């Protein structure tokens, strides 16, 4: 199934048109024509089966034939991850986490972060593309970059974890997880979290965890954490 995206439609929508860029892609590139069926999601769990009624490469119009709603996830997974020095590594994480089934992502700027500026628009496009490619009906939420200290002050539901490499008393993530509970998990930069950040997280009820016996890159650790939580809850 090839999936398209329109955030402005809901279960009451009967007909709608794609924007000029998407219309051109549908008609000129994919060579769709009148009466062809298109599957569309709004990123909020709905799948729309639609039929093309006007195959224009400037304004492709479709009628909604049926609507189905995917079950909501039994838990929410929120990863707060320090942006990597090389953008393509963080982009790889965004793509894979979306395919696996994450709900929310926050880039966090830490004491040892080498990258402190991100291209939010580009990141959003990568997440959207990954959602469509994997036939996901829920679009993960990507937040603005925020400092570690500011993030720690926020209220998050469910279990809270910080994954770090320091030799301290910590459980494996698998041992610490509880089924079907929301999870917020912090992943640090290439140089790991500072001692001060780890102390601050623990003071704010974040439980230290390990993701395994090997030292992982930031983006690898984030994908491993994402898969571990989703797999644990299946």
């Amino acid at each position: 199934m090839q999936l398209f995206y329109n955030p402005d439609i809901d279960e009451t929508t009967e007909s709608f048109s794609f924007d000029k860029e998407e219309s051109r892609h549908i008609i000129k590139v994919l060579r769709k024509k009148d009466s062809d069926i298109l599957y569309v999601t709004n990123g909020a769990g709905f799948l729309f089966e639609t039929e093309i009624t006007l195959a224009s490469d400037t304004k492709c119009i479709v009628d909604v034939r049926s609507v189905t709603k995917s079950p909501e996830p039994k838990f929410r997974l929120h990863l707060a991850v320090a942006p990597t020095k090389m953008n393509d590594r963080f982009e790889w994480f965004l793509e894979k986490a979306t395919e696996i089934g994450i709900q929310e992502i926050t880039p966090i700027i830490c004491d040892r972060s080498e990258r402190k500026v991100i291209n939010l628009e580009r990141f959003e496009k990568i997440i959207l593309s990954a959602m469509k490619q994997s036939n996901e009906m829920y679009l993960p939420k990507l937040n603005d970059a925020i400092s570690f200290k500011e993030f720690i002050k926020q209220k998050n539901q469910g279990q809270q974890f910080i994954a770090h490499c320091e030799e301290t008393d910590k459980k494996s993530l698998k041992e610490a997880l509880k089924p079907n509970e929301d999870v917020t998990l912090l992943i640090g930069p290439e140089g790991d979290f500072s001692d001060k950040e780890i102390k601050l997280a623990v003071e704010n009820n974040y439980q230290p965890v390990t993701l395994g016996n090997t030292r992982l890159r930031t983006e690898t650790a984030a994908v491993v954490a994402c898969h571990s939580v989703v797999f644990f809850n299946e």
Side-chain angles (χ1 to χ4, degrees):
M1 179 179 68
Q2 187 168 24
L3 192 62
F4 298 88
Y5 173 69
N6 188 316
D8 300 321
I9 56 178
D10 59 30
E11 65 270 35
T12 66
T13 302
E14 296 179 356
S15 178
F16 65 91
S17 60
F18 291 96
D19 62 29
K20 188 174 181 179
E21 182 180 352
E22 190 78 299
S23 294
R24 185 181 184 284
H25 178 71
I26 291 168
I27 305 305
K28 289 291 188 181
V29 179
L30 301 178
R31 300 186 182 279
K32 299 295 184 180
K33 55 188 183 302
D34 286 347
S35 300
D36 280 353
I37 301 299
L38 300 180
Y39 292 94
V40 187
T41 184
N42 61 358
F46 288 96
L47 176 65
F48 304 84
E49 182 182 294
T50 71
E51 180 180 352
I52 297 177
T53 55
L54 178 62
S56 167
D57 63 355
T58 58
K59 190 176 183 180
C60 177
I61 300 176
V62 298
D63 284 349
V64 177
R65 291 177 39 166
S66 66
V67 183
T68 56
K69 176 78 182 290
S70 295
E72 292 191 14
K74 292 179 286 187
F75 66 96
R76 285 187 60 82
L77 171 58
H78 182 183
L79 286 188
V81 185
T84 53
K85 182 179 180 181
M86 302 299 291
N87 258 331
D88 59 341
R89 290 180 176 171
F90 198 82
E91 291 170 3
W92 177 82
F93 147 66
L94 293 173
E95 179 183 78
K96 300 311 171 190
T98 301
E99 292 176 12
I100 293 168
I102 197 169
Q103 283 74 46
E104 189 171 357
I105 301 162
T106 302
I108 51 172
I109 309 305
C110 304
D111 290 341
R112 295 171 180 165
S113 289
E114 294 188 67
R115 177 171 293 280
K116 303 189 183 216
V117 178
I118 65 167
N119 187 336
L120 198 69
E121 184 178 350
R122 176 170 171 79
F123 287 175
E124 287 174 339
K125 287 181 178 179
I126 289 168
I127 290 173
L128 175 58
S129 177
M131 181 198 73
K132 294 193 292 185
Q133 186 276 328
S134 57
N135 284 337
E136 264 287 341
M137 303 303 153
Y138 289 92
L139 182 67
K141 181 183 179 184
L142 176 63
N143 298 313
D144 289 329
I146 188 173
S147 73
F148 179 90
K149 289 180 181 178
E150 288 178 291
F151 185 86
I152 287 294
K153 293 176 185 176
Q154 296 179 349
K155 298 295 183 183
N156 293 294
Q157 299 296 318
Q159 296 183 279
Q160 299 181 150
F161 301 111
I162 178 170
H164 64 79
C165 301
E166 293 299 314
E167 294 296 329
T168 60
D169 183 29
K170 51 189 175 182
K171 292 182 177 180
S172 72
L173 178 60
K174 183 176 69 173
E175 291 175 332
L177 282 170
K178 297 175 183 177
N180 300 326
E181 284 196 14
D182 293 349
V183 172
T184 301
L185 200 154
L186 310 177
I187 303 288
E190 281 91 336
D192 202 3
F193 291 112
S194 66
D195 291 343
K196 183 172 62 176
E197 287 170 332
I198 295 171
K199 183 174 183 291
L200 181 62
V202 171
E203 288 172 351
N204 283 272
N205 301 314
Y206 280 82
Q207 182 177 351
V209 293
T210 174
L211 300 176
N213 297 322
T214 58
R215 182 178 289 268
L216 304 174
R217 289 183 181 274
T218 295
E219 71 277 10
T220 309
V223 170
V224 167
C226 181
H227 179 266
S228 297
V229 175
V230 172
F231 185 76
F232 176 83
N233 283 283
E234 283 185 345

